[in-house]
Amino acid sequence: MKRFLPYPLMTATLLAVWLLLNESVAPGTILLGGVLSLAAAATLGVLDLPGGRFRRPRVALSLLGVVLVDILRSNWAVAKIILRPDGGGRVSGFLRIPLDLRAPYGLATLACIVTATPGTVWVAYDRRRNTLLLHILDLVDEQEWIDTIKGRYETRLMELFE
């Protein structure tokens, strides 16, 4: 059974999303969504993804809260930058951040967090040196950004994925 349906929860979720997006529970829609969901799950089974464990849901909720607050705060800061085009001493630039996090799913989650936060862009990850290169729209204090990434995100992600 595991070979035929390697990811049953993901298959069911994909089918549910398919039905919601199509706003229909017609037999044809269910059949097509089921086939596509099974094909997606079979494709993931072939990819041989690294094993990962998700632990500590309270830490995940804490991280979600921190990220949502940071996204709101960042939206406000970027809006102020855009609405005041005089510059105000703003300096954008690149910053290399040393990481302790090595779990692939943790790094992927960090990439999503950084990319979802306005004013920051994940540029590159150097696996050999385990460093992250970010572009920051308003780079006032480099150490503050390093402390933010390491203290607010990386520690929680290490608790979750390592």
Side-chain angles (χ1 to χ4, degrees), residues 5 7 10-16 18 30-43:
L5 192 60
Y7 301 103
M10 187 199 68
T11 304
T13 303
L14 286 174
L15 177 59
W18 176 264
I30 294 172
L31 182 64
L32 182 59
V35 169
L36 291 173
S37 300
L38 288 170
T43 302

Side-chain angles (χ1 to χ4, degrees), residues 50-93:
R53 291 181 38 156
F54 181 77
R55 296 175 270 173
R56 302 191 177 145
R58 287 186 183 164
V59 175
L61 288 175
S62 166
L63 177 64
L64 178 64
V66 166
V67 169
L68 290 176
V69 167
D70 285 351
I71 287 174
L72 288 172
R73 192 179 306 149
S74 211
N75 271 309
W76 182 255
V78 169
K80 285 194 315 189
I81 290 170
I82 291 171
L83 294 175
R84 290 189 205 156
D86 59 345
R90 177 179 44 93
V91 176
S92 62

Side-chain angles (χ1 to χ4, degrees), residues 3 7 16-17 24-25 41 50 62 66 89 92 94-95 101-102 118 136 161:
R3 194 175 75 192
Y7 301 103
V17 169
S24 170
V25 288
S62 166
V66 166
S92 62
F94 293 92
L95 176 62
L101 178 68
R102 293 197 178 270
I136 300 168
F161 295 106

Side-chain angles (χ1 to χ4, degrees), residues 138-156:
D138 191 14
L139 184 60
V140 176
D141 183 9
E142 291 184 4
Q143 191 58 46
E144 181 182 339
W145 277 99
I146 292 171
D147 294 342
T148 298
I149 297 295
K150 293 188 76 57
R152 293 176 69 86
Y153 306 137
E154 185 182 34
T155 55
R156 288 178 174 96

